[in-house]
Amino acid sequence: MILTVTLNTALDITYRVPALRPHASHRVTEVTERPGGKGVNVARVLAALGHEVTVTGFAGGLTGRLLRDRLIPVPGLVDALVPVSGTTRRTVAVVDERSGATTQLNEPGPTVSAAEWNAFQEVYEDLLTGVSAVALCGSLPPGVPVGAYTGLARTARAAGVPVLLDTSGAALRRGVAGRPDILKPNADELAELTGSHEPSRATRDARRRGAGAVVASLGPQGLLAVTPEGHWRAAPPTALHGNPTGAGDSAVAGLLSGLVTDLPWPDRLARAVALSAATVLAPAAGEFDRGAYEELLGRVAITGEVGAA
């Protein structure tokens, strides 16, 4: 069982419009709703790959109920979300069909009380029993301590459960102190954490700050990994055109899948890049194209070497 933590879950709403223009009214051609938040997205991909996965975090209000209803049909996924009195946020993506560009609007999330935070921590500790890996994902809702991921990572590691951390800003800066086994920033997050815009240097610097391994997402250029076993780059075989929404979450799912099945690092990275690319190519935002994934998996370009990084 893999556990994903999404403290700031969301109901993801996607509007498609013929062309997005500032200061204008728009006729929406298509509306989709799906359960969201980074860890929820990761869990849905893992379930589609055949893994058993449990989702925890917070959910409340009407949008929280809609989110949980949409998790029920997902095979292999267990809902262990903790109720809160506030209302789960919505994220709104507006897709310009002419250009393919996506504009994202993210609400802040409900304010979590001290009692609700304490209740979550008790549920989290119970869920760690029998878990093969845990992913701590996404932003922190108001009321949750900025060092929340530090404590959650330490709790998991004390229970012998490997931890992947995927967050940003102050939560990332503080979370590294929890010594996650895998840190998965994107290029901007990595630069903000280390002050360096040179990916190789920044990735090594991030690892020195406490992470066991750092896997940096470089967008269309794939992944850069610095690990105790060596360092590698993994890139899709060709330039991809599509909607990148959820591609980073699919990469996290690939890394977790490779971790729990004990794949060597190059194979983990190939799985992560292929899933990320297949998400860009999928017709629905945040899904992945299984046929594209299977076709791309053997074509991901891997360079690097075993040895101290």
Side-chain angles (χ1 to χ4, degrees), residues 235-260:
T238 58
L240 303 171
H241 302 283
N243 188 344
T245 302
D249 301 332
S250 291
V252 169
L255 294 172
L256 287 168
S257 176
L259 171 65
V260 301

Side-chain angles (χ1 to χ4, degrees), residues 36-112:
K38 291 184 73 65
V40 173
N41 297 338
V42 170
R44 292 170 60 242
V45 174
L46 285 168
L49 291 173
H51 293 282
E52 293 185 349
V53 58
T54 295
V55 171
T56 192
F58 295 111
L62 176 59
T63 51
R65 182 69 265 165
L66 291 171
L67 182 153
R68 301 184 81 166
D69 286 346
R70 283 160 174 73
L71 292 177
I72 293 171
V74 181
L77 188 149
V78 175
D79 173 0
L81 293 167
V82 176
V84 289
S85 59
T87 298
T88 294
R89 66 187 178 133
R90 297 162 298 180
T91 67
V92 179
V94 183
V95 179
D96 183 324
E97 295 176 328
R98 179 183 58 187
S99 68
T102 300
T103 300
Q104 192 83 17
L105 304 172
N106 296 330
E107 296 180 355
T111 299
V112 175

Side-chain angles (χ1 to χ4, degrees), residues 194-208:
T194 65
S196 174
H197 290 272
E198 201 289 304
S200 294
R201 179 183 302 170
T203 305
R204 285 171 168 78
D205 184 26
R207 184 164 179 254
R208 285 194 293 268

